[in-house]
Amino acid sequence: MLSHLNLRMRLTLLTAGLILLALTTFAGLAGALLWRVEIGSIARQINAQLGALLVVAQRSPNMLTASSEDILEDNGVTSVARIYRQGELIWSGGATGPETLDGHFLDKLGYSEQVTRENDYLIVSHRSGDLVVQVGRNLRPLKATLARYALVAGLSLCLLALLAALLVAWQVRRAMLPLERLVERVRHLNEPSEVPGMQEVGEVGELARALHTSLAHLQAERARETYFLASASHELRTPVTAMLADLQHTLSRERPPEEVRAALQRTEKAAVRLRQLTGNLMTLTRAQRLVAARPEWQAAQWQRADLLELAGEAIDLLQPLALSRQINLWLDGAPTLLNMDITLMSGVLENLIGNALKFTPVGGQIEVTVRPGPQYAQLIVEDTGPGFPAGNLTEAFVRGQQQGPQIEGFGLGLAVVRQVVAAHGGHLALGAREGGGARVQVLLPL
């Protein structure tokens, strides 16, 4: 049944129940102790009355009736007394009571004194010679008093338990409020609001800080996924659309072989372009994961290599394309050793030099420079092309949000470069070359 209640209600009921149980136990123990104390007090009073009656019976039997009232009355309560001689009742007095208080004691000749309870009476019996004196006290008034005590105590306990439950409910609400706010925050993960309770001490604060870290990772992962999908759809849409339109146009009617061959060549170029884009997308994804990875994992995956040597390999790979367009592509610098992911860094060099080749006119020049510095290795790629369009040297441009067909091809390549550089703790800067053209500078920590 309790499983259907929320945590706050269960804690309140459990705490209130424990408080009520503790108070009830205390009240029961107090009642039992009070009963024992009162019984002990009554027994002492009866013993004193019995002793006085025994003295009078032995010395002045004729004075029993006259003195019994003073002897048997105590604070408005009168005891009942019986005196026997050789088993025969010779005198009775005091309050109204049973004829025989303790008949069993009269038959036990070997006993001199006995305390018993019979028929709601506490009875003390004493044998002295041939005399037996018995004094009893009716316990019903005491029981009635204790019953009233139990009733008052029960009502008081219920009231105290209710007040305790209200206090506990208020305290539990205060304690649970940060958790409820965290639950509400988790229900709205997409909102940019801060995780509540981060300044709290104890378990709630630890939970809030852990949730903040998890949400930050989750949002970053979601942003990377969104970024990846946006980049993929943006970069793949144009060549796929162009290739499809070219094929549809070619197939719309009979074509001579030379036109079919030209269409197939254009399709081949588009397929090469798509292969390059998919390669860039894979590199981009790997770079994004590398950014989110722990530093110790990054260090385990990296190798120490010469950036100048990698730049030479990229130039050797792209040199045939430069020669076909009569572009002067050359490398300058000094050996520069640093820790890196060699595959990703090779992709950076190929992207930067490939973009430069794409936008440098026939007969132009591309210069790649690698130099070590005090703290950073410097990689610079300059060309004599048209340069970057004004107003596009922004984060959005670097991420592939191209502004028009005149700069097609920059976006995803530079997005790959940016992510790989960020994964290596470096910086990417786009600018203009002196004398005209584009200038890309990459700084990587040594």
Side-chain angles (χ1 to χ4, degrees):
M1 181 178 177
L2 291 178
S3 60
H4 299 292
L5 301 176
N6 59 31
L7 180 59
R8 185 199 305 174
M9 185 61 66
R10 279 183 285 176
L11 287 175
T12 301
L13 291 178
L14 178 61
T15 308
L18 291 175
I19 292 175
L20 181 60
L21 178 62
L23 292 175
T24 303
T25 303
F26 174 77
L29 292 175
L33 180 62
L34 180 60
W35 171 263
R36 292 178 62 87
V37 169
E38 288 296 321
I39 290 295
S41 177
I42 292 174
R44 288 190 297 272
Q45 293 174 12
I46 292 175
N47 271 311
Q49 292 169 348
L50 186 146
L53 284 176
L54 182 60
V55 171
V56 174
Q58 289 174 339
R59 295 181 182 180
S60 306
N62 297 329
M63 298 296 295
L64 282 172
T65 303
S67 60
S68 63
E69 183 176 349
D70 293 334
I71 294 174
L72 296 177
E73 194 273 334
D74 184 19
N75 294 326
V77 180
T78 303
S79 302
V80 58
R82 302 286 187 267
I83 299 178
Y84 299 87
R85 187 184 298 275
Q86 295 180 354
E88 297 291 333
L89 179 65
I90 62 173
W91 181 87
S92 65
T96 302
E99 276 188 36
T100 302
L101 294 177
D102 187 359
H104 299 289
F105 183 79
L106 298 176
D107 300 330
K108 298 176 182 179
L109 300 178
Y111 286 81
S112 61
E113 187 167 318
Q114 179 174 282
V115 180
T116 59
R117 285 177 55 190
E118 291 188 15
N119 300 323
D120 291 330
Y121 277 82
L122 179 65
I123 303 166
V124 178
S125 302
H126 182 80
R127 189 186 305 277
S128 178
D130 60 350
L131 289 176
V132 174
V133 181
Q134 293 184 339
V135 179
R137 177 74 63 82
N138 192 347
L139 297 179
R140 289 173 186 168
L142 176 61
K143 289 183 176 181
T145 300
L146 290 178
R148 289 192 295 271
Y149 161 80
L151 178 62
V152 173
L155 294 175
S156 301
L157 290 178
C158 291
L159 180 60
L160 287 175
L162 179 60
L163 294 176
L166 293 176
L167 179 61
V168 169
W170 179 64
Q171 288 291 344
V172 170
R173 175 175 172 77
R174 288 188 59 190
M176 295 293 295
L177 190 59
L179 292 178
E180 292 175 356
R181 290 174 178 168
L182 287 177
V183 171
E184 190 64 25
R185 178 64 182 86
V186 171
R187 288 174 179 166
H188 302 85
L189 290 177
N190 293 327
E191 294 183 359
S193 58
E194 183 178 341
V195 175
M198 293 182 58
Q199 306 303 322
E200 296 280 344
V201 296
E203 293 80 0
V204 174
E206 293 179 5
L207 178 61
R209 289 185 286 273
L211 179 61
H212 173 75
T213 303
S214 299
L215 285 179
H217 289 317
L218 181 61
Q219 290 171 349
E221 184 64 28
R222 182 175 295 180
R224 284 191 292 270
E225 292 176 357
T226 303
Y227 174 28
F228 176 82
L229 292 174
S231 300
S233 61
H234 181 85
E235 292 295 327
L236 294 175
R237 183 175 60 249
T238 299
V240 169
T241 302
M243 183 173 60
L244 182 60
D246 193 11
L247 289 174
Q248 290 174 343
H249 176 71
T250 303
L251 296 173
S252 63
R253 61 182 177 85
E254 292 292 332
R255 302 282 181 181
E258 58 271 16
E259 289 189 16
V260 173
R261 181 177 180 81
L264 290 176
Q265 289 176 342
R266 291 192 298 272
T267 302
E268 180 187 18
K269 290 181 180 179
V272 171
R273 164 77 171 152
L274 287 174
R275 184 179 63 182
Q276 181 182 3
L277 287 174
T278 54
N280 281 342
L281 287 172
M282 294 179 63
T283 303
L284 181 61
T285 303
R286 181 177 177 184
Q288 289 172 340
R289 291 176 179 174
L290 190 61
V291 171
R294 295 179 181 272
E296 57 267 21
W297 184 88
Q298 293 177 347
Q301 299 296 316
W302 290 356
Q303 301 178 29
R304 193 159 186 83
D306 185 359
L307 185 60
L308 181 66
E309 183 178 343
L310 287 182
E313 293 176 358
I315 288 178
D316 291 341
L317 180 66
L318 297 172
Q319 193 66 258
L321 180 60
L323 293 175
S324 66
R325 302 186 59 184
Q326 300 179 7
I327 295 175
N328 185 16
L329 174 60
W330 55 287
L331 173 66
D332 186 21
T336 304
L337 294 176
L338 58 110
N339 294 324
M340 67 178 81
D341 185 308
I342 295 178
T343 302
L344 292 181
M345 195 56 63
S346 297
V348 166
L349 290 162
E350 292 171 13
N351 267 294
L352 292 179
I353 299 172
N355 271 331
L357 285 170
K358 186 179 302 181
F359 293 97
T360 300
V362 175
Q365 177 177 304
I366 299 174
E367 179 180 357
V368 180
T369 306
V370 178
R371 289 195 180 91
Q375 296 179 335
Y376 290 91
Q378 188 178 57
L379 167 65
I380 301 175
V381 178
E382 295 179 314
D383 62 60
T384 57
F388 296 110
N392 281 326
L393 304 183
T394 63
E395 183 82 359
F397 172 71
V398 173
R399 291 192 174 192
Q401 299 180 6
Q402 302 171 349
Q403 304 296 320
Q406 69 275 13
I407 57 170
E408 181 177 346
F410 268 79
L412 190 57
L414 289 178
V416 172
V417 171
R418 178 190 175 278
Q419 286 292 330
V420 174
V421 171
H424 287 77
H427 305 282
L428 172 68
L430 307 181
R433 173 180 173 274
E434 291 185 9
R439 184 177 190 270
V440 180
Q441 181 184 48
V442 176
L443 298 179
L444 298 169
L446 293 173

